[in-house]
């Protein structure tokens, strides 16, 4: 071991945020034969945060899986391929996350233009 007992679990709703359902409620995170787990947090803790409702301003970094990549068309809320699956993510929350990405991206592009004079 390099540094024993020096780790901490980060809040997955705020770090590496996917906007995902973290409760055993529906596929793919819930298998019906495990009825004793229904509604419980996948992290095996009481009172875990629902990442589908986390305020976007509290999110430190985003992992675009359930909410789809912001440069692709997100489609709609449905289980069809390419769309945002309502069993695993909240469509409205995903749209907030995508809007935030576009705001950050636009800000970055503007700063690059200011520094380079448009010669980047």
């Amino acid at each position: 071991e390099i540094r024993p007992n020096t780790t901490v679990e980060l809040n997955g709703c705020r770090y590496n945020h996917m906007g995902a359902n973290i409760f055993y409620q529906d596929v793919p995170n819930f298998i019906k034969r495990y009825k004793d787990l229904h509604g419980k947090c996948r992290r095996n803790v009481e009172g875990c945060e629902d990442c589908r409702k986390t305020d976007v301003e509290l999110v430190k970094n985003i992992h675009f899986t359930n909410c789809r990549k912001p440069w692709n068309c997100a489609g709609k809320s449905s289980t069809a391929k390419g769309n945002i699956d309502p069993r695993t993510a909240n469509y409205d929350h995903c749209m907030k996350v995508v809007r935030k990405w576009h705001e950050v991206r636009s800000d970055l592009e503007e700063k690059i233009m200011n520094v380079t004079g448009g010669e980047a």
Side-chain angles (χ1 to χ4, degrees):
E1 288 183 66
I2 296 173
R3 293 186 181 161
N5 304 314
T6 59
T7 61
V8 62
E9 181 179 359
L10 299 176
N11 180 332
C13 294
R14 298 173 188 214
Y15 296 89
N16 200 38
H17 178 81
M18 291 192 272
N21 183 353
I22 62 166
F23 300 96
Y24 290 107
Q25 292 173 321
D26 209 333
V27 296
N29 304 321
F30 176 62
I31 300 171
K32 292 183 183 196
R33 69 175 175 241
Y34 300 124
K35 293 186 186 330
D36 58 323
L37 294 176
H38 190 264
K40 291 189 177 176
C41 180
R42 290 186 304 164
R43 292 178 49 227
N44 295 322
V45 297
E46 291 297 321
C48 61
E49 185 174 342
D50 188 344
C51 299
R52 298 166 298 174
K53 298 176 182 175
T54 299
D55 183 340
V56 176
E57 296 303 317
L58 298 175
V59 174
K60 305 301 180 193
N61 65 306
I62 300 169
H63 177 153
F64 290 98
T65 296
N66 293 297
C67 288
R68 306 292 180 251
K69 312 297 186 251
W71 49 89
N72 292 339
C73 180
K76 59 184 180 180
S77 180
S78 84
T79 56
K81 184 175 177 152
N83 290 330
I84 295 172
D85 190 335
R87 298 172 298 177
T88 59
N90 177 283
Y91 181 82
D92 292 332
H93 177 77
C94 287
M95 294 300 98
K96 287 179 185 174
V97 168
V98 167
R99 268 193 298 282
K100 185 66 175 178
W101 183 89
H102 283 287
E103 288 172 12
V104 170
R105 174 65 190 241
S106 293
D107 182 60
L108 173 64
E109 289 178 10
E110 185 177 320
K111 287 178 177 167
I112 291 172
M113 288 292 288
N114 291 339
V115 169
T116 64
E119 301 295 323

